[in-house]
PDB file of all heavy atoms in Angstrom:
ATOM      1  N   LEU A  11     172.088  29.501  51.488  1.00 90.00           N
ATOM      2  CA  LEU A  11     171.022  29.377  50.500  1.00 90.00           C
ATOM      3  C   LEU A  11     171.010  30.564  49.541  1.00 90.00           C
ATOM      4  O   LEU A  11     170.898  30.405  48.315  1.00 90.00           O
ATOM      5  CB  LEU A  11     169.672  29.253  51.211  1.00 90.00           C
ATOM      6  CG  LEU A  11     168.430  29.174  50.305  1.00 90.00           C
ATOM      7  CD1 LEU A  11     168.531  27.976  49.371  1.00 90.00           C
ATOM      8  CD2 LEU A  11     167.169  29.074  51.170  1.00 90.00           C
ATOM      9  N   LEU A  12     171.153  31.759  50.087  1.00 85.00           N
ATOM     10  CA  LEU A  12     171.177  32.951  49.238  1.00 85.00           C
ATOM     11  C   LEU A  12     172.390  32.955  48.305  1.00 85.00           C
ATOM     12  O   LEU A  12     172.312  33.416  47.162  1.00 85.00           O
ATOM     13  CB  LEU A  12     171.177  34.214  50.106  1.00 85.00           C
ATOM     14  CG  LEU A  12     169.877  34.486  50.873  1.00 85.00           C
ATOM     15  CD1 LEU A  12     170.048  35.698  51.790  1.00 85.00           C
ATOM     16  CD2 LEU A  12     168.717  34.715  49.907  1.00 85.00           C
ATOM     17  N   ALA A  13     173.517  32.415  48.795  1.00 84.00           N
ATOM     18  CA  ALA A  13     174.711  32.329  47.953  1.00 84.00           C
ATOM     19  C   ALA A  13     174.464  31.403  46.774  1.00 84.00           C
ATOM     20  O   ALA A  13     174.895  31.680  45.645  1.00 84.00           O
ATOM     21  CB  ALA A  13     175.897  31.846  48.773  1.00 84.00           C
ATOM     22  N   TYR A  14     173.759  30.293  47.018  1.00 89.00           N
ATOM     23  CA  TYR A  14     173.406  29.391  45.920  1.00 89.00           C
ATOM     24  C   TYR A  14     172.549  30.122  44.883  1.00 89.00           C
ATOM     25  O   TYR A  14     172.772  30.018  43.667  1.00 89.00           O
ATOM     26  CB  TYR A  14     172.644  28.177  46.453  1.00 89.00           C
ATOM     27  CG  TYR A  14     173.515  26.976  46.743  1.00 89.00           C
ATOM     28  CD1 TYR A  14     173.848  26.641  48.053  1.00 89.00           C
ATOM     29  CD2 TYR A  14     173.992  26.169  45.714  1.00 89.00           C
ATOM     30  CE1 TYR A  14     174.651  25.539  48.333  1.00 89.00           C
ATOM     31  CE2 TYR A  14     174.790  25.063  45.984  1.00 89.00           C
ATOM     32  CZ  TYR A  14     175.119  24.754  47.291  1.00 89.00           C
ATOM     33  OH  TYR A  14     175.914  23.665  47.552  1.00 89.00           O
ATOM     34  N   LEU A  15     171.546  30.847  45.368  1.00 88.00           N
ATOM     35  CA  LEU A  15     170.647  31.554  44.457  1.00 88.00           C
ATOM     36  C   LEU A  15     171.391  32.631  43.667  1.00 88.00           C
ATOM     37  O   LEU A  15     171.165  32.806  42.464  1.00 88.00           O
ATOM     38  CB  LEU A  15     169.491  32.172  45.251  1.00 88.00           C
ATOM     39  CG  LEU A  15     168.541  31.172  45.932  1.00 88.00           C
ATOM     40  CD1 LEU A  15     167.521  31.902  46.779  1.00 88.00           C
ATOM     41  CD2 LEU A  15     167.837  30.308  44.888  1.00 88.00           C
ATOM     42  N   ARG A  16     172.275  33.346  44.350  1.00 76.00           N
ATOM     43  CA  ARG A  16     173.050  34.383  43.649  1.00 76.00           C
ATOM     44  C   ARG A  16     173.972  33.768  42.610  1.00 76.00           C
ATOM     45  O   ARG A  16     174.146  34.304  41.517  1.00 76.00           O
ATOM     46  CB  ARG A  16     173.857  35.201  44.655  1.00 76.00           C
ATOM     47  CG  ARG A  16     173.036  36.204  45.440  1.00 76.00           C
ATOM     48  CD  ARG A  16     173.917  37.225  46.141  1.00 76.00           C
ATOM     49  NE  ARG A  16     174.799  36.588  47.116  1.00 76.00           N
ATOM     50  CZ  ARG A  16     174.499  36.448  48.409  1.00 76.00           C
ATOM     51  NH1 ARG A  16     173.336  36.910  48.864  1.00 76.00           N
ATOM     52  NH2 ARG A  16     175.328  35.856  49.243  1.00 76.00           N
ATOM     53  N   PHE A  17     174.554  32.608  42.944  1.00 85.00           N
ATOM     54  CA  PHE A  17     175.472  31.970  41.997  1.00 85.00           C
ATOM     55  C   PHE A  17     174.725  31.447  40.773  1.00 85.00           C
ATOM     56  O   PHE A  17     175.198  31.579  39.639  1.00 85.00           O
ATOM     57  CB  PHE A  17     176.222  30.825  42.686  1.00 85.00           C
ATOM     58  CG  PHE A  17     177.083  30.048  41.748  1.00 85.00           C
ATOM     59  CD1 PHE A  17     178.249  30.597  41.237  1.00 85.00           C
ATOM     60  CD2 PHE A  17     176.732  28.770  41.330  1.00 85.00           C
ATOM     61  CE1 PHE A  17     179.045  29.899  40.349  1.00 85.00           C
ATOM     62  CE2 PHE A  17     177.517  28.064  40.440  1.00 85.00           C
ATOM     63  CZ  PHE A  17     178.684  28.629  39.951  1.00 85.00           C
ATOM     64  N   VAL A  18     173.546  30.850  41.016  1.00 86.00           N
ATOM     65  CA  VAL A  18     172.741  30.370  39.886  1.00 86.00           C
ATOM     66  C   VAL A  18     172.365  31.540  38.981  1.00 86.00           C
ATOM     67  O   VAL A  18     172.364  31.440  37.750  1.00 86.00           O
ATOM     68  CB  VAL A  18     171.486  29.636  40.396  1.00 86.00           C
ATOM     69  CG1 VAL A  18     170.525  29.354  39.249  1.00 86.00           C
ATOM     70  CG2 VAL A  18     171.875  28.335  41.087  1.00 86.00           C
ATOM     71  N   HIS A  19     172.060  32.657  39.605  1.00 79.00           N
ATOM     72  CA  HIS A  19     171.712  33.856  38.840  1.00 79.00           C
ATOM     73  C   HIS A  19     172.922  34.438  38.114  1.00 79.00           C
ATOM     74  O   HIS A  19     172.801  34.941  36.996  1.00 79.00           O
ATOM     75  CB  HIS A  19     171.107  34.908  39.780  1.00 79.00           C
ATOM     76  CG  HIS A  19     170.761  36.189  39.096  1.00 79.00           C
ATOM     77  ND1 HIS A  19     169.726  36.308  38.183  1.00 79.00           N
ATOM     78  CD2 HIS A  19     171.331  37.438  39.172  1.00 79.00           C
ATOM     79  CE1 HIS A  19     169.648  37.552  37.740  1.00 79.00           C
ATOM     80  NE2 HIS A  19     170.614  38.251  38.326  1.00 79.00           N
ATOM     81  N   ASN A  20     174.072  34.366  38.748  1.00 77.00           N
ATOM     82  CA  ASN A  20     175.293  34.944  38.175  1.00 77.00           C
ATOM     83  C   ASN A  20     176.490  34.031  38.456  1.00 77.00           C
ATOM     84  O   ASN A  20     177.135  34.157  39.493  1.00 77.00           O
ATOM     85  CB  ASN A  20     175.547  36.338  38.750  1.00 77.00           C
ATOM     86  CG  ASN A  20     176.846  36.938  38.235  1.00 77.00           C
ATOM     87  OD1 ASN A  20     177.359  36.537  37.190  1.00 77.00           O
ATOM     88  ND2 ASN A  20     177.376  37.899  38.966  1.00 77.00           N
ATOM     89  N   PRO A  21     176.802  33.108  37.538  1.00 84.00           N
ATOM     90  CA  PRO A  21     177.918  32.170  37.736  1.00 84.00           C
ATOM     91  C   PRO A  21     179.274  32.858  37.872  1.00 84.00           C
ATOM     92  O   PRO A  21     180.240  32.205  38.296  1.00 84.00           O
ATOM     93  CB  PRO A  21     177.874  31.297  36.471  1.00 84.00           C
ATOM     94  CG  PRO A  21     176.465  31.406  35.988  1.00 84.00           C
ATOM     95  CD  PRO A  21     176.059  32.812  36.294  1.00 84.00           C
ATOM     96  N   ASP A  22     179.365  34.120  37.544  1.00 77.00           N
ATOM     97  CA  ASP A  22     180.636  34.833  37.680  1.00 77.00           C
ATOM     98  C   ASP A  22     180.829  35.427  39.081  1.00 77.00           C
ATOM     99  O   ASP A  22     181.823  36.113  39.328  1.00 77.00           O
ATOM    100  CB  ASP A  22     180.722  35.952  36.643  1.00 77.00           C
ATOM    101  CG  ASP A  22     180.826  35.420  35.223  1.00 77.00           C
ATOM    102  OD1 ASP A  22     181.373  34.300  35.043  1.00 77.00           O
ATOM    103  OD2 ASP A  22     180.367  36.103  34.284  1.00 77.00           O
ATOM    104  N   ASP A  23     179.867  35.173  39.952  1.00 75.00           N
ATOM    105  CA  ASP A  23     179.950  35.683  41.326  1.00 75.00           C
ATOM    106  C   ASP A  23     180.901  34.785  42.134  1.00 75.00           C
ATOM    107  O   ASP A  23     180.495  33.793  42.733  1.00 75.00           O
ATOM    108  CB  ASP A  23     178.556  35.707  41.955  1.00 75.00           C
ATOM    109  CG  ASP A  23     178.542  36.328  43.340  1.00 75.00           C
ATOM    110  OD1 ASP A  23     179.618  36.500  43.943  1.00 75.00           O
ATOM    111  OD2 ASP A  23     177.448  36.631  43.839  1.00 75.00           O
ATOM    112  N   ASP A  24     182.193  35.124  42.125  1.00 76.00           N
ATOM    113  CA  ASP A  24     183.192  34.301  42.802  1.00 76.00           C
ATOM    114  C   ASP A  24     182.980  34.237  44.317  1.00 76.00           C
ATOM    115  O   ASP A  24     183.296  33.227  44.955  1.00 76.00           O
ATOM    116  CB  ASP A  24     184.598  34.842  42.518  1.00 76.00           C
ATOM    117  CG  ASP A  24     185.062  34.532  41.105  1.00 76.00           C
ATOM    118  OD1 ASP A  24     184.384  33.735  40.427  1.00 76.00           O
ATOM    119  OD2 ASP A  24     186.096  35.075  40.689  1.00 76.00           O
ATOM    120  N   LEU A  25     182.461  35.313  44.933  1.00 71.00           N
ATOM    121  CA  LEU A  25     182.246  35.315  46.378  1.00 71.00           C
ATOM    122  C   LEU A  25     181.201  34.276  46.780  1.00 71.00           C
ATOM    123  O   LEU A  25     181.372  33.542  47.751  1.00 71.00           O
ATOM    124  CB  LEU A  25     181.824  36.701  46.855  1.00 71.00           C
ATOM    125  CG  LEU A  25     182.903  37.798  46.790  1.00 71.00           C
ATOM    126  CD1 LEU A  25     182.313  39.136  47.201  1.00 71.00           C
ATOM    127  CD2 LEU A  25     184.084  37.440  47.689  1.00 71.00           C
ATOM    128  N   SER A  26     180.123  34.212  46.003  1.00 81.00           N
ATOM    129  CA  SER A  26     179.085  33.226  46.306  1.00 81.00           C
ATOM    130  C   SER A  26     179.595  31.814  46.058  1.00 81.00           C
ATOM    131  O   SER A  26     179.315  30.887  46.833  1.00 81.00           O
ATOM    132  CB  SER A  26     177.839  33.497  45.461  1.00 81.00           C
ATOM    133  OG  SER A  26     177.228  34.705  45.839  1.00 81.00           O
ATOM    134  N   LEU A  27     180.376  31.633  44.986  1.00 87.00           N
ATOM    135  CA  LEU A  27     180.922  30.317  44.691  1.00 87.00           C
ATOM    136  C   LEU A  27     181.869  29.860  45.803  1.00 87.00           C
ATOM    137  O   LEU A  27     181.865  28.692  46.197  1.00 87.00           O
ATOM    138  CB  LEU A  27     181.661  30.337  43.348  1.00 87.00           C
ATOM    139  CG  LEU A  27     182.325  29.025  42.921  1.00 87.00           C
ATOM    140  CD1 LEU A  27     181.298  27.892  42.856  1.00 87.00           C
ATOM    141  CD2 LEU A  27     183.028  29.193  41.574  1.00 87.00           C
ATOM    142  N   ALA A  28     182.674  30.786  46.322  1.00 85.00           N
ATOM    143  CA  ALA A  28     183.595  30.442  47.405  1.00 85.00           C
ATOM    144  C   ALA A  28     182.835  29.944  48.628  1.00 85.00           C
ATOM    145  O   ALA A  28     183.303  29.057  49.345  1.00 85.00           O
ATOM    146  CB  ALA A  28     184.444  31.647  47.771  1.00 85.00           C
ATOM    147  N   ARG A  29     181.647  30.482  48.853  1.00 88.00           N
ATOM    148  CA  ARG A  29     180.864  30.097  50.022  1.00 88.00           C
ATOM    149  C   ARG A  29     180.232  28.717  49.861  1.00 88.00           C
ATOM    150  O   ARG A  29     180.149  27.953  50.827  1.00 88.00           O
ATOM    151  CB  ARG A  29     179.783  31.138  50.300  1.00 88.00           C
ATOM    152  CG  ARG A  29     179.010  30.854  51.566  1.00 88.00           C
ATOM    153  CD  ARG A  29     178.029  31.943  51.922  1.00 88.00           C
ATOM    154  NE  ARG A  29     177.426  31.653  53.217  1.00 88.00           N
ATOM    155  CZ  ARG A  29     177.879  32.097  54.375  1.00 88.00           C
ATOM    156  NH1 ARG A  29     178.945  32.882  54.415  1.00 88.00           N
ATOM    157  NH2 ARG A  29     177.291  31.765  55.513  1.00 88.00           N
ATOM    158  N   ILE A  30     179.801  28.386  48.652  1.00 87.00           N
ATOM    159  CA  ILE A  30     179.002  27.166  48.476  1.00 87.00           C
ATOM    160  C   ILE A  30     179.789  25.971  47.947  1.00 87.00           C
ATOM    161  O   ILE A  30     179.290  24.851  47.988  1.00 87.00           O
ATOM    162  CB  ILE A  30     177.829  27.422  47.505  1.00 87.00           C
ATOM    163  CG1 ILE A  30     178.346  27.675  46.089  1.00 87.00           C
ATOM    164  CG2 ILE A  30     176.969  28.564  48.004  1.00 87.00           C
ATOM    165  CD1 ILE A  30     177.268  27.712  45.034  1.00 87.00           C
ATOM    166  N   ILE A  31     181.013  26.185  47.480  1.00 90.00           N
ATOM    167  CA  ILE A  31     181.717  25.100  46.799  1.00 90.00           C
ATOM    168  C   ILE A  31     181.951  23.890  47.698  1.00 90.00           C
ATOM    169  O   ILE A  31     182.043  22.757  47.224  1.00 90.00           O
ATOM    170  CB  ILE A  31     183.061  25.602  46.214  1.00 90.00           C
ATOM    171  CG1 ILE A  31     183.583  24.606  45.180  1.00 90.00           C
ATOM    172  CG2 ILE A  31     184.072  25.891  47.321  1.00 90.00           C
ATOM    173  CD1 ILE A  31     184.728  25.134  44.341  1.00 90.00           C
ATOM    174  N   ASN A  32     181.992  24.107  48.993  1.00 88.00           N
ATOM    175  CA  ASN A  32     182.167  22.980  49.911  1.00 88.00           C
ATOM    176  C   ASN A  32     181.048  22.907  50.943  1.00 88.00           C
ATOM    177  O   ASN A  32     181.222  22.431  52.057  1.00 88.00           O
ATOM    178  CB  ASN A  32     183.522  23.067  50.611  1.00 88.00           C
ATOM    179  CG  ASN A  32     183.962  21.733  51.179  1.00 88.00           C
ATOM    180  OD1 ASN A  32     183.788  20.693  50.554  1.00 88.00           O
ATOM    181  ND2 ASN A  32     184.528  21.742  52.380  1.00 88.00           N
ATOM    182  N   VAL A  33     179.853  23.399  50.535  1.00 88.00           N
ATOM    183  CA  VAL A  33     178.669  23.346  51.396  1.00 88.00           C
ATOM    184  C   VAL A  33     177.526  22.711  50.621  1.00 88.00           C
ATOM    185  O   VAL A  33     177.050  23.285  49.640  1.00 88.00           O
ATOM    186  CB  VAL A  33     178.247  24.754  51.871  1.00 88.00           C
ATOM    187  CG1 VAL A  33     176.971  24.680  52.699  1.00 88.00           C
ATOM    188  CG2 VAL A  33     179.351  25.409  52.657  1.00 88.00           C
ATOM    189  N   PRO A  34     177.080  21.506  50.966  1.00 88.00           N
ATOM    190  CA  PRO A  34     177.610  20.666  52.039  1.00 88.00           C
ATOM    191  C   PRO A  34     179.026  20.178  51.735  1.00 88.00           C
ATOM    192  O   PRO A  34     179.486  20.281  50.599  1.00 88.00           O
ATOM    193  CB  PRO A  34     176.610  19.512  52.099  1.00 88.00           C
ATOM    194  CG  PRO A  34     176.062  19.437  50.714  1.00 88.00           C
ATOM    195  CD  PRO A  34     175.977  20.853  50.231  1.00 88.00           C
ATOM    196  N   THR A  35     179.681  19.608  52.725  1.00 87.00           N
ATOM    197  CA  THR A  35     181.076  19.220  52.573  1.00 87.00           C
ATOM    198  C   THR A  35     181.254  18.253  51.412  1.00 87.00           C
ATOM    199  O   THR A  35     180.563  17.231  51.321  1.00 87.00           O
ATOM    200  CB  THR A  35     181.587  18.568  53.872  1.00 87.00           C
ATOM    201  OG1 THR A  35     181.421  19.499  54.944  1.00 87.00           O
ATOM    202  CG2 THR A  35     183.048  18.196  53.751  1.00 87.00           C
ATOM    203  N   ARG A  36     182.184  18.600  50.503  1.00 87.00           N
ATOM    204  CA  ARG A  36     182.465  17.763  49.338  1.00 87.00           C
ATOM    205  C   ARG A  36     183.931  17.357  49.265  1.00 87.00           C
ATOM    206  O   ARG A  36     184.362  16.743  48.302  1.00 87.00           O
ATOM    207  CB  ARG A  36     182.114  18.522  48.055  1.00 87.00           C
ATOM    208  CG  ARG A  36     180.658  18.976  47.964  1.00 87.00           C
ATOM    209  CD  ARG A  36     180.397  19.676  46.643  1.00 87.00           C
ATOM    210  NE  ARG A  36     179.005  20.044  46.517  1.00 87.00           N
ATOM    211  CZ  ARG A  36     178.484  21.184  46.974  1.00 87.00           C
ATOM    212  NH1 ARG A  36     179.274  22.063  47.579  1.00 87.00           N
ATOM    213  NH2 ARG A  36     177.210  21.447  46.823  1.00 87.00           N
ATOM    214  N   GLY A  37     184.706  17.771  50.270  1.00 87.00           N
ATOM    215  CA  GLY A  37     186.128  17.468  50.229  1.00 87.00           C
ATOM    216  C   GLY A  37     186.901  18.409  49.336  1.00 87.00           C
ATOM    217  O   GLY A  37     188.020  18.104  48.909  1.00 87.00           O
ATOM    218  N   ILE A  38     186.289  19.554  49.028  1.00 88.00           N
ATOM    219  CA  ILE A  38     186.978  20.575  48.229  1.00 88.00           C
ATOM    220  C   ILE A  38     187.519  21.615  49.197  1.00 88.00           C
ATOM    221  O   ILE A  38     186.783  22.487  49.668  1.00 88.00           O
ATOM    222  CB  ILE A  38     186.030  21.219  47.194  1.00 88.00           C
ATOM    223  CG1 ILE A  38     185.436  20.142  46.277  1.00 88.00           C
ATOM    224  CG2 ILE A  38     186.761  22.274  46.374  1.00 88.00           C
ATOM    225  CD1 ILE A  38     184.410  20.662  45.295  1.00 88.00           C
ATOM    226  N   GLY A  39     188.792  21.500  49.506  1.00 87.00           N
ATOM    227  CA  GLY A  39     189.371  22.337  50.543  1.00 87.00           C
ATOM    228  C   GLY A  39     190.029  23.605  50.036  1.00 87.00           C
ATOM    229  O   GLY A  39     189.904  23.989  48.861  1.00 87.00           O
ATOM    230  N   ARG A  40     190.758  24.255  50.932  1.00 85.00           N
ATOM    231  CA  ARG A  40     191.402  25.537  50.642  1.00 85.00           C
ATOM    232  C   ARG A  40     192.419  25.420  49.511  1.00 85.00           C
ATOM    233  O   ARG A  40     192.490  26.289  48.649  1.00 85.00           O
ATOM    234  CB  ARG A  40     192.073  26.056  51.917  1.00 85.00           C
ATOM    235  CG  ARG A  40     192.950  27.277  51.736  1.00 85.00           C
ATOM    236  CD  ARG A  40     192.196  28.477  51.195  1.00 85.00           C
ATOM    237  NE  ARG A  40     191.132  28.894  52.091  1.00 85.00           N
ATOM    238  CZ  ARG A  40     190.302  29.902  51.831  1.00 85.00           C
ATOM    239  NH1 ARG A  40     190.379  30.553  50.677  1.00 85.00           N
ATOM    240  NH2 ARG A  40     189.364  30.232  52.702  1.00 85.00           N
ATOM    241  N   THR A  41     193.197  24.343  49.501  1.00 88.00           N
ATOM    242  CA  THR A  41     194.223  24.189  48.456  1.00 88.00           C
ATOM    243  C   THR A  41     193.593  24.136  47.071  1.00 88.00           C
ATOM    244  O   THR A  41     194.064  24.790  46.127  1.00 88.00           O
ATOM    245  CB  THR A  41     195.044  22.912  48.706  1.00 88.00           C
ATOM    246  OG1 THR A  41     195.661  22.992  49.998  1.00 88.00           O
ATOM    247  CG2 THR A  41     196.121  22.743  47.644  1.00 88.00           C
ATOM    248  N   THR A  42     192.508  23.361  46.939  1.00 90.00           N
ATOM    249  CA  THR A  42     191.810  23.261  45.647  1.00 90.00           C
ATOM    250  C   THR A  42     191.249  24.614  45.242  1.00 90.00           C
ATOM    251  O   THR A  42     191.384  25.041  44.079  1.00 90.00           O
ATOM    252  CB  THR A  42     190.675  22.227  45.736  1.00 90.00           C
ATOM    253  OG1 THR A  42     191.224  20.954  46.077  1.00 90.00           O
ATOM    254  CG2 THR A  42     189.927  22.126  44.415  1.00 90.00           C
ATOM    255  N   TRP A  43     190.632  25.290  46.188  1.00 88.00           N
ATOM    256  CA  TRP A  43     190.059  26.601  45.880  1.00 88.00           C
ATOM    257  C   TRP A  43     191.135  27.589  45.436  1.00 88.00           C
ATOM    258  O   TRP A  43     190.937  28.350  44.475  1.00 88.00           O
ATOM    259  CB  TRP A  43     189.286  27.149  47.072  1.00 88.00           C
ATOM    260  CG  TRP A  43     188.809  28.551  46.857  1.00 88.00           C
ATOM    261  CD1 TRP A  43     189.327  29.688  47.384  1.00 88.00           C
ATOM    262  CD2 TRP A  43     187.745  28.968  45.994  1.00 88.00           C
ATOM    263  NE1 TRP A  43     188.657  30.797  46.925  1.00 88.00           N
ATOM    264  CE2 TRP A  43     187.673  30.383  46.067  1.00 88.00           C
ATOM    265  CE3 TRP A  43     186.851  28.285  45.176  1.00 88.00           C
ATOM    266  CZ2 TRP A  43     186.735  31.115  45.342  1.00 88.00           C
ATOM    267  CZ3 TRP A  43     185.912  29.013  44.467  1.00 88.00           C
ATOM    268  CH2 TRP A  43     185.865  30.415  44.543  1.00 88.00           C
ATOM    269  N   ASP A  44     192.256  27.589  46.107  1.00 86.00           N
ATOM    270  CA  ASP A  44     193.342  28.503  45.735  1.00 86.00           C
ATOM    271  C   ASP A  44     193.840  28.226  44.322  1.00 86.00           C
ATOM    272  O   ASP A  44     194.154  29.160  43.563  1.00 86.00           O
ATOM    273  CB  ASP A  44     194.504  28.380  46.728  1.00 86.00           C
ATOM    274  CG  ASP A  44     194.178  29.013  48.072  1.00 86.00           C
ATOM    275  OD1 ASP A  44     193.234  29.817  48.144  1.00 86.00           O
ATOM    276  OD2 ASP A  44     194.887  28.702  49.047  1.00 86.00           O
ATOM    277  N   THR A  45     193.908  26.939  43.935  1.00 89.00           N
ATOM    278  CA  THR A  45     194.335  26.589  42.570  1.00 89.00           C
ATOM    279  C   THR A  45     193.344  27.111  41.546  1.00 89.00           C
ATOM    280  O   THR A  45     193.724  27.693  40.511  1.00 89.00           O
ATOM    281  CB  THR A  45     194.468  25.062  42.429  1.00 89.00           C
ATOM    282  OG1 THR A  45     195.436  24.589  43.376  1.00 89.00           O
ATOM    283  CG2 THR A  45     194.914  24.678  41.020  1.00 89.00           C
TER     284      THR A  45
END
């Protein structure tokens, strides 16, 4: 939840985006993230 709030506040926060991009599960896996 805090990662979502931090990302909304700062879209350039890659660490928070990495945490939430597949939470809840969206089928966005490691390969997609690496690309």
Side-chain angles (χ1 to χ4, degrees):
L11 177 59
L12 291 175
Y14 266 104
L15 295 175
R16 284 195 298 267
F17 175 72
V18 170
H19 178 69
N20 177 22
D22 292 331
D23 185 346
D24 286 349
L25 291 176
S26 293
L27 178 57
R29 185 175 186 93
I30 68 171
I31 196 168
N32 200 40
V33 177
T35 302
R36 301 182 177 87
I38 303 176
R40 172 60 61 182
T41 301
T42 300
W43 174 256
D44 287 342
T45 300

